[in-house]
Structure formats: C-alpha cells, structure tokens
C-alpha cells in the first residue's frame, strides 16, 4: 500500500513531559484519516511536527517517502496544505489578497484559479471583504482555501469544523468528500465532533495521552462496533429464505425479528419478501457509534 | 527565496504602518529642519551651521522607528499564524528568516530615504553640504550600514520572541538601552583631557593657580578609552550618535563593525530560528 505519511515511534517532549509518545501511524494515499483524541492527547502536536513547525524529540516520520531528516523534505511539504489550530490568514487583508499572498509564496503569481478557490469554499461573494469582518466560520473556510492553494495532494486539517454553523458543517463535509473523491486528495482531519467525523473518515487513529491506542479502517470499525441491521417482518421464515438466497449473514431473534450482519440491498429484499406475501415492518441500524467505541477504547474519557 | 521576497514585498506595499512610517519620517525631517533653520550659527563659536550639522540627526532616533515597525510587521505573521504557511509551503527556515530580514531592511532604507529627502528642506537656511563628496558618501554609507545592523537586531527579536507584544517591548527596550549606553559612552569620550581652574580651585577640589589648566579627573584614558571606543563603534546606537554629530573617526572601522554586527546577529538568529518550536 502507498502511504502519504508514516510515523515511526514519533515522540515529542516539552520540558520532560511527553506530549507524543512513540506514535507509529500510517496514512494511506487517498484516505480520509480521522484523528481522534481528547484535549491534550497530542493531535495538534503531531500535526505541528509533520508540518515542520516543530522537531521531534525522538523517532521520525516520512512524508511521501522522504524522511523528516532528509535535506529535501521541504519538497514533500510542497505537496501538502494545512490548517493548524486557527486559520492562518492576515486580518487586514481581503480574502482575495490572502489567497494572492499564498499563491505568491508558492511561486504562482498568475493567480490561476483564485475565483474557483473562493467558490469551492463558498466565499465567492466575500472575496473583497476584509478578513477582520469575517465570522469564525468564514475564516475557517478561507483557511481551507489558503491550504488548497497550489493544488495540494495532502490536506491536513486541525479541527476544521470548530465554529461552523450546522449548514457550514454540512458544506465542509461535502467539500472534503468532493476533494477526496474528485481530486484524490488525501485528508488528515482531527476533530472532536466524532459524529461528523464518522460520516467522512475511511481510516481512524485513536490517540490517548500521547499514545496511539489503535489504528483501524472504517470497515474494521463497523465490524468492531458490531454494526447490523435489525429487520422486523410478518413472516420470519420468508425472510430467512430470502437472506439465504442473497448469501448474507444473519441471526434469528424470535418470530418476527432478524439481525443482518452484511450489507444488503433493501429494495431488492423488499421485493423478494413481497413475492412471498411477507411485509417488511421496520429496518433499524444497530450497534456502537464512533463516540461510544472511542469511550470504551480509552476507558471512559470523552473526546 | 524569490517567492518569499515577492510575497513579503507585496504585503509591505499594502501595509499601512509602513506608509505611516515613510510619511512620518519625511514630515519629521521637514519640521525638524524648519525649526533648526531658525538658528543658522552657533552662539558659542560664532560659526555658521552647515546642512550636515543637522542632516543626519535621524540616526539618533532611527532605532526606535525601526524597532516599532519591524516588531509590528513581523509580529503580525507570528500572531496571525501566517508564518506557518511559509514553512508548510516548503520554504526552509533559513530562507524564511533571511527573507524577513531583507524585506525589513528595504523598508528601513525607505524610511531613511524619506528622512533624507525631507531634510533637504534645510537647504534654503543652511545651503548645500560643505563636506567633501567622499566624506559625504562615507556618511551615507554609514547610515545604510547602521540601518542594516538595527534591522538585523530587530529581526532577531521579532523572529524569536513568543509574540508581537513581547517583540515590540524587547525591541523598543533594546533601542532605549543602546541609546542610553551610547550617550554615556559618547559623553565619557568627549570629556577633555585637561580643564581650567577657577579662583585657585580646580573642579576636583584640589588647589591650583587661577587660569592654569589641570588634568581632568573625568577623562577616560588608556585601555578603558579603547574599550569605550570599541563599544561605541559596535553599538548601532553608538554609531548613530557619531554619525548624527559628525564625529566619525574612521569610516572603514565603523563599516566593518556594522557589517560584523549584521552578519553575526543574522547567523545567530538563523541558527536559533531553525531550532525554535513554532505554534
């Protein structure tokens, strides 16, 4: 598997206190990697390290195959964009001026795609407005636009939905999914809002007090969370026959209810049941969600 | 480096504080020269003042102007987090540090130019320079080299201080300390070797015949005088005072001292900035 970022026993100490303790993580190319942990777990510290803002106390990381100790690590960094903690924008400049400044830093003085960038993050009407007058949500979006300057392959976002209203959260989710699916951008995203993260991430890393407790992909997480469909019908034997025909795993729970452990096409199942005069009464998704899984993993502390 | 300079220079061009300092320097020069022009000769010596007697006075206060501007300009990048964008964009820390130093030096040179143009308002009162062209060129060169030394110091503080406020306080504080030290050193070195006695008592209190000259007890001589001279040459504020009062003894020595300060501080700053943990 191709990895955009791998860390090897990455450790960072501040005055003898370990903020990150031998973290070894792997972010596959094309993934949306959800980084989960409580306040002070070390999420931002790890992001600062991979962005080159700080140097590891021990261990290391490789970005696009280049080690952090390589002299040309900055070449790998040119493929990434990041928003660390707060959006890094000049308050006295307009949104457009901020993007032009970033494009100049990247050696793209023709400002190609500037309007498209503003449209992508939903700030096309605010390009000439001073950032000082922006809401927190608008600043977050501008921060993402700055990170997207130069067309990065790897986007690192530290709590990008903080301060966004529900509509803004929805738009940010759609934006990240679009960037991932249409442009193939790999995303590392840390967030406290686990419900939102679970709608995006294809891989997860769980961090607790500086240690990486578990690294898992979304399918494994679904299985670990015992994700299943609880189906209620008028004739359970008809349902069993249909499920056998579809070749999916299930368990009978009585005369009317069945738990299905594989993904099923509900429309197809409904048609098959109708042919046997069996009615589908209800379908419910059951199992642990990301939040309760994380809480059980780290021993009762909420993210 | 070119991309960093291009981005930083375009930000400088749009910076209100920059234009305020340029305009302020020019305006102060005009006002200063118009006031100075009301007194065209020395009451003590009876000699007429020349333009250069007032022209370089900016160098006394230049350290404060540079300190305020540089700490605000570079501190903004620290406070608003945009310094991170440079590193994430793949620029090395050495280049980021040096580009910041170059841009602030160019800004400071423009403040200097604004003063020099504004100070020409003194020409109607004092006439043009009476210094020989080589001497005049030497003074202008010294102004540029002292400006570089000030910028190196202020960039050092702004790039390594934890935030904009700390950078501002440290830079202005350093400028004040340097000016105070330069004033004390200059006064000590300017003290005459001998002084006259009055009514049979010298200033030190010892008996002496009236009208006779005696050794000045406040005179600094020997090795200590050399140390004071070196310190005055090394301190940018010391050089500024010497330029302002046209008391430069060796232009080459002072140029070398400024160059050494600029290079030494830039090298140390770059090395420390490369190790600094940024947020």
């Amino acid at each position: 598997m191709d990895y955009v970022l791998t860390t090897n026993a990455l450790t960072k100490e501040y005055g003898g206190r370990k903020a990150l303790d031998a973290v070894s993580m792997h972010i596959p190319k094309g993934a949306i990697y959800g980084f989960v942990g409580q306040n002070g777990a070390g999420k931002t510290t790890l992001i600062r390290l991979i962005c080159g803002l700080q140097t590891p106390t021990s261990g290391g990381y490789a970005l696009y195959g280049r080690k952090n100790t390589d002299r040309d690590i900055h070449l790998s960094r040119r493929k990434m964009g990041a928003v660390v903690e707060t959006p890094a924008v000049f308050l006295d400049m307009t949104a457009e001026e901020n993007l032009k400044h970033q494009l100049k830093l990247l050696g793209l003085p023709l400002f190609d795609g500037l309007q498209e960038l503003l449209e992508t993050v939903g700030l096309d009407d605010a390009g000439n407005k001073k950032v000082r007058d922006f809401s927190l949500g608008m600043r977050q979006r501008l921060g993402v636009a700055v990170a997207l300057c130069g067309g990065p392959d790897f986007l690192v976002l530290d709590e990008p939905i903080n301060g966004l209203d529900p509509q803004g959260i929805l738009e940010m989710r759609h934006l990240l999914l679009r960037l991932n699916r249409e442009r193939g951008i790999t995303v590392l995203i840390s967030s406290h809002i686990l419900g939102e993260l679970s709608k995006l991430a294809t891989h997860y890393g769980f961090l607790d007090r500086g240690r990486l407790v578990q690294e898992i992909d979304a399918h494994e997480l679904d299985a670990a969370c015992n994700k299943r469909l609880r189906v209620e019908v008028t004739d359970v034997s008809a349902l069993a026959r249909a499920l056998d025909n579809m070749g999916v795993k299930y368990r009978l729970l009585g005369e009317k209810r069945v738990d299905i452990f594989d993904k099923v096409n509900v429309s197809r199942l409904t048609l098959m049941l109708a042919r046997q005069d069996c009615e589908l009464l209800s379908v419910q998704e059951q199992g642990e969600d990301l939040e309760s899984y994380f809480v059980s993993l780290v021993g009762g502390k909420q993210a | 480096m070119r991309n960093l300079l291009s981005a930083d220079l375009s930000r400088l061009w749009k910076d209100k504080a920059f234009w305020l300092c340029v305009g302020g320097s020019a305006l102060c020069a005009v006002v200063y020269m118009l006031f100075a022009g009301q007194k065209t000769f020395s009451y003590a010596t009876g000699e007429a003042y020349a333009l250069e007697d007032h022209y370089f006075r900016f160098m006394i206060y230049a350290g404060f102007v540079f300190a305020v501007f540089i700490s605000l300009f570079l501190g903004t990048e620290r406070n608003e987090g945009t310094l991170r964008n440079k590193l994430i964009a793949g620029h090395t820390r050495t280049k980021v540090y040096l580009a910041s130093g170059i841009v602030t030096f160019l800004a400071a040179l423009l403040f200097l130019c604004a003063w020099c143009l504004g100070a020409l308002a003194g020409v109607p009162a004092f006439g043009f320079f009476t210094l020989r062209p080589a001497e005049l060129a030497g003074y202008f060169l010294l102004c540029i080299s002292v400006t570089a030394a000030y910028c190196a110091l202020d960039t050092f503080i702004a790039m390594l201080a934890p935030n904009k406020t700390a950078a501002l306080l440290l830079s202005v504080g350093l400028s004040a300390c340097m000016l105070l030290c330069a004033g004390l050193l200059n006064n000590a070195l300017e003290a005459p070797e001998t002084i006259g006695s009055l009514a049979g008592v010298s200033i030190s209190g010892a008996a002496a015949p009236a009208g006779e000259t005696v050794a000045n007890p406040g005179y600094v001589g020997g090795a200590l005088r050399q140390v004071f001279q070196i310190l005055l040459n090394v301190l940018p504020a010391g050089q500024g005072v010497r330029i302002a009062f046209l008391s430069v003894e060796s232009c080459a020595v002072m140029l070398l001292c400024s160059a050494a300060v600029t290079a030494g501080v830039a090298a140390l700053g770059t090395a420390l900035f490369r190790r600094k943990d940024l947020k």
Side-chain angles (χ1 to χ4, degrees):
Chain A
M1 189 182 281
D2 277 350
Y3 292 109
V4 170
L5 173 76
T6 55
T7 69
N8 178 29
L10 191 63
T11 302
K12 179 68 182 174
E13 290 181 13
Y14 297 112
R17 189 187 66 83
K18 279 186 180 172
L20 268 188
D21 189 1
V23 170
S24 296
M25 65 187 281
H26 310 80
I27 301 183
K29 196 170 192 296
I32 297 180
Y33 193 100
F35 206 31
V36 184
Q38 309 103 303
N39 285 332
K43 302 186 297 287
T44 303
T45 302
L46 185 130
I47 288 173
R48 284 183 190 142
L49 289 176
I50 61 169
C51 288
L53 304 176
Q54 302 190 351
T55 45
T57 307
S58 64
Y61 61 88
L63 200 56
Y64 287 98
R66 285 193 182 93
K67 289 183 181 170
N68 62 304
T69 47
D70 289 352
R71 287 182 68 86
D72 57 354
I73 181 72
H74 61 279
L75 297 177
S76 290
R77 287 223 174 82
R78 285 188 190 159
K79 294 183 184 176
M80 68 187 277
V83 181
V84 186
E85 284 189 293
T86 51
V89 286
F90 290 108
L91 302 182
D92 279 335
M93 287 188 188
T94 65
E96 254 186 43
E97 285 169 345
N98 266 289
L99 293 178
K100 284 180 178 175
H101 184 267
Q102 186 65 15
L103 289 168
K104 276 187 179 171
L105 274 180
L106 293 162
L108 302 166
L110 297 176
F111 312 134
D112 292 337
L114 192 143
Q115 196 54 37
E116 190 193 335
L117 261 176
L118 286 169
E119 281 168 19
T120 302
V121 295
L123 288 176
D124 39 327
D125 294 334
N128 292 318
K129 202 172 162 186
K130 290 261 186 209
V131 177
R132 190 172 293 287
D133 301 324
F134 276 21
S135 67
L136 182 60
M138 289 167 83
R139 287 183 196 180
Q140 288 279 23
R141 290 184 216 188
L142 181 60
V144 173
V146 168
L148 286 172
C149 283
D153 296 330
F154 181 33
L155 195 58
V156 179
L157 302 173
D158 189 11
E159 306 281 359
I161 51 180
N162 272 5
L164 294 186
D165 57 22
Q167 179 68 22
I169 291 174
L170 190 75
E171 285 170 9
M172 184 66 78
R173 189 204 312 157
H174 287 163
L175 168 66
L176 295 178
L177 285 171
R178 207 167 68 235
L179 291 171
N180 178 254
R181 286 171 188 168
E182 292 174 9
R183 299 196 202 169
I185 295 178
T186 307
V187 184
L188 167 62
I189 176 170
S190 81
S191 180
H192 282 107
I193 306 171
L194 301 188
E196 194 55 38
L197 201 58
S198 65
K199 292 173 187 162
L200 277 173
T202 58
H203 294 72
Y204 295 91
F206 297 102
L207 206 63
D208 181 37
R209 281 172 287 188
R211 298 185 73 91
L212 189 69
V213 183
Q214 192 178 37
E215 211 174 20
I216 192 170
D217 71 30
H219 296 299
E220 290 169 331
L221 182 72
D222 282 350
C225 288
N226 198 17
K227 281 275 169 74
R228 60 198 185 274
L229 277 183
R230 179 156 292 176
V231 178
E232 195 175 0
V233 290
T234 51
D235 181 358
V236 78
S237 55
L239 176 60
R241 279 194 297 278
L243 292 174
D244 285 338
N245 280 341
M246 292 168 88
V248 296
K249 286 188 214 156
Y250 64 94
R251 184 173 65 193
L252 296 172
L253 297 172
E255 290 181 5
K256 287 189 172 180
R257 285 188 298 174
V258 169
D259 272 351
I260 302 171
F261 298 102
D262 290 337
K263 287 211 173 211
V264 288
N265 182 328
V266 179
S267 305
R268 198 175 144 215
L269 179 66
T270 312
L271 283 172
M272 289 171 81
L273 292 175
R275 278 189 219 116
Q276 298 181 62
D277 292 328
C278 172
E279 282 181 52
L280 186 64
L281 299 174
S282 68
V283 180
Q284 284 179 320
E285 202 174 60
Q286 303 253 309
E288 270 187 308
D289 59 9
L290 179 60
E291 204 165 65
S292 49
Y293 181 81
F294 175 73
V295 170
S296 61
L297 192 68
V298 300
K301 296 180 287 293
Q302 289 279 349
Chain B
M1 185 72 127
R2 204 173 42 196
N3 297 337
L4 281 167
L5 287 173
S6 159
D8 284 347
L9 285 173
S10 77
R11 181 164 88 84
L12 179 73
W13 203 250
K14 288 173 192 148
D15 193 76
K16 280 181 193 156
F18 167 70
W19 289 110
L20 203 68
C21 287
V22 171
S25 298
L27 188 68
C28 285
V30 171
V31 171
Y32 176 82
M33 281 300 189
L34 290 180
F35 273 99
Q38 291 175 356
K39 189 185 159 195
T40 54
F41 68 93
S42 165
Y43 293 121
T45 62
E47 285 176 22
Y49 284 124
L51 181 63
E52 59 265 25
D53 289 324
H54 294 285
Y55 194 78
F56 297 105
R57 293 289 164 93
F58 175 66
M59 292 316 293
I60 301 175
Y61 313 103
F64 291 99
V65 180
F66 300 156
V68 171
F69 173 74
I70 292 172
S71 54
L72 292 180
F73 185 73
L74 296 182
T76 298
E77 290 202 336
R78 173 66 58 79
N79 272 26
E80 293 173 7
T82 46
L83 183 63
R84 296 195 292 257
N85 290 344
K86 294 180 175 176
L87 297 171
I88 296 166
H91 297 290
T92 62
R93 288 188 180 221
T94 305
K95 285 181 181 172
V96 169
Y97 186 97
L98 293 178
S100 300
I102 291 169
V103 170
T104 52
F105 173 59
L106 291 175
L109 275 186
L110 283 174
F111 303 158
L112 189 63
C113 288
W115 170 274
C116 290
L117 286 175
L120 291 176
V123 172
F126 302 112
F128 207 62
F129 296 103
T130 57
L131 287 172
R132 282 180 291 125
E135 276 183 308
L136 190 62
Y139 273 103
F140 276 116
L141 260 180
L142 279 173
C143 286
I144 293 170
S145 70
V146 173
T147 299
Y150 268 126
C151 289
L153 283 170
D154 293 330
T155 302
F156 178 92
I157 292 170
M159 295 301 277
L160 295 168
N163 55 52
K164 185 156 79 172
T165 311
L168 183 64
L169 290 174
L170 285 169
S171 299
V172 173
L174 179 70
S175 295
C177 286
M178 284 197 301
L179 189 59
L180 183 69
C181 289
L184 293 172
L185 289 169
N186 196 52
N187 282 347
L189 291 171
E190 292 286 307
E193 200 168 351
T194 57
I195 46 174
S197 64
L198 281 171
V201 180
S202 74
I203 287 172
S204 63
E212 206 168 291
T213 56
V214 292
N216 179 6
Y219 179 77
V220 180
L224 192 60
R225 186 172 189 84
Q226 283 186 327
V227 171
F228 277 23
Q229 276 173 336
I230 290 168
L231 281 174
L232 202 59
N233 281 338
V234 167
L235 280 176
Q239 293 203 8
V241 167
R242 289 199 152 186
I243 296 167
F245 294 103
L246 305 175
S247 58
V248 172
E249 286 167 5
S250 166
C251 185
V253 169
M254 280 178 57
L255 281 173
L256 274 176
C257 286
S258 285
V261 169
T262 307
V265 172
L268 181 66
T270 308
L272 293 176
F273 185 64
R274 282 170 65 179
R275 288 178 184 83
K276 186 174 170 60
D277 279 346
L278 297 170
K279 288 196 170 177

